[in-house]
Amino acid sequence: MNSTLFPHPTLATPLHVLNYRESSQILTLLTREYGKISVLARGIKPLKRKTTLQPMELLSFYEIRLRPGKELHYLAENQMTAFFSPFRHDLARLYGGYYLLELVRTLLQEGEPATDLFDLFFKGCEKLAVSAQIKPVLLGFEFQLLKLLGFFPELQHCLLCGNNFGDWLLFSSAEGGGLCLACAREQKKMFPNQTFLKLRRKSLDAFLQIEQNILPLEADVLQEIRKFLQHYWSYLLEQELKLFSYISKMKTP
């Protein structure tokens, strides 16, 4: 293994922690410079002997140095750079942070560039820790994440005829956007197994304004946007995230 594989320190946050033997852990890290990577942290769990490594906590950020290995790379040094204490005292914020983390961990493959994603995740955690309203922060993160990954759907015009939507539209995850009611009926005739999610244009217009921080959002609008995102993420990920149900039922603003 080339010893210059990791020539510089990088910022990192743990995505998954697995205990290994008595005093070590296998960490899946999101790093700013090297993307998603799994490393062995020898002696990171302090027992009888001293260790120079700090135990790494989810939703915290570190400067780390890595050392190449044959099967797994090694965590050589780490130093915490950001710790958001509100996550430790507010269950809604904590699970909101875990939801962002689960999205990132599931979407990102090892070896993919991740500088922009790392920055987005850090800013999402930072906002989540201090914002008076949690749900809009989650929606804003998902809005930016869809854009960053190139999966942002067409929500302003019908994918087939190009016309503006009326009060309602039918969203197709497979097509990556909305269809007007007339075009959706024609699609259903040709592809009877195709599924659509019926949504109010009002709710998706509100989602499109999330980027400009248009607040507050009505409770029914928030609920419908969440339903749309759950539907779309489930299609993109080919699975339901564990925290979907909690986020959908969250009672905090």
Side-chain angles (χ1 to χ4, degrees):
M1 183 70 66
N2 189 341
S3 61
T4 62
L5 184 61
F6 306 115
H8 307 294
T10 184
L11 295 175
T13 185
L15 300 176
H16 184 70
V17 178
L18 177 67
N19 290 327
Y20 177 71
R21 295 182 176 173
E22 190 177 21
S23 63
S24 300
Q25 291 177 334
I26 296 175
L27 304 168
T28 302
L29 302 176
L30 171 62
T31 71
R32 193 173 189 277
E33 189 169 352
Y34 309 117
K36 181 179 176 181
I37 189 169
S38 296
V39 303
L40 177 60
R42 284 176 169 168
I44 197 170
K45 295 164 63 179
L47 297 172
K48 292 182 180 179
R49 59 191 181 86
K50 293 182 179 180
T51 177
T52 58
L53 295 177
Q54 300 179 21
M56 296 181 74
E57 299 184 37
L58 299 179
L59 305 178
S60 296
F61 294 79
Y62 302 79
E63 183 177 80
I64 67 168
R65 187 178 290 277
L66 298 170
R67 182 163 54 85
K70 291 182 179 180
E71 296 182 2
L72 278 175
H73 305 305
Y74 298 100
L75 181 65
E77 299 174 21
N78 68 339
Q79 181 67 44
M80 183 180 286
T81 59
F83 172 83
F84 301 110
S85 59
F87 289 140
R88 278 63 186 176
H89 309 296
D90 186 326
L91 195 60
R93 292 182 198 277
L94 177 64
Y95 278 93
Y98 284 161
Y99 175 65
L100 303 188
L101 186 151
E102 190 178 11
L103 272 172
V104 171
R105 183 176 63 212
T106 308
L107 284 162
L108 185 64
Q109 301 299 314
E110 291 207 15
E112 292 180 353
T115 300
D116 291 339
L117 181 56
F118 182 93
D119 292 344
L120 178 64
F121 183 60
F122 178 83
K123 289 175 183 176
C125 290
E126 193 174 42
K127 288 181 180 178
L128 194 59
V130 300
S131 176
Q133 294 191 316
I134 294 173
K135 290 178 181 177
V137 174
L138 301 181
L139 295 181
F141 178 86
E142 292 170 273
F143 183 101
Q144 294 295 340
L145 185 59
L146 286 169
K147 278 196 161 186
L148 180 63
L149 298 176
F151 293 133
F152 200 87
E154 173 54 64
L155 300 175
Q156 294 180 308
H157 306 93
C158 175
L159 282 171
L160 296 184
C161 69
N163 291 332
N164 293 330
F165 299 118
D167 292 336
W168 294 86
L169 63 107
L170 291 174
F171 179 76
S172 168
S173 292
E175 300 290 342
L179 278 66
C180 68
L181 300 186
C183 287
R185 282 195 294 268
E186 293 301 314
Q187 280 289 98
K188 201 67 175 173
K189 291 178 185 177
M190 294 186 290
F191 307 102
N193 294 327
Q194 188 169 357
T195 59
F196 298 97
L197 181 66
K198 190 174 182 179
L199 299 166
R200 292 179 298 171
R201 187 188 65 182
K202 169 186 174 181
S203 296
L204 293 186
D205 283 348
F207 178 64
L208 291 172
Q209 294 174 353
I210 286 286
E211 195 172 25
Q212 284 77 45
N213 296 315
I214 305 299
L215 297 174
L217 296 177
E218 299 169 15
D220 62 328
V221 169
L222 278 168
Q223 185 176 11
E224 193 164 18
I225 294 173
R226 176 53 54 203
K227 183 179 178 181
F228 147 66
L229 285 169
Q230 180 170 345
H231 180 83
Y232 194 34
W233 283 127
S234 296
Y235 173 81
L236 293 174
L237 299 170
E238 299 182 339
Q239 68 181 71
E240 287 238 348
L241 295 181
K242 294 177 182 177
L243 285 165
F244 269 158
S245 178
Y246 179 85
I247 297 301
S248 298
K249 296 174 183 177
M250 185 184 290
K251 298 187 184 299
T252 53

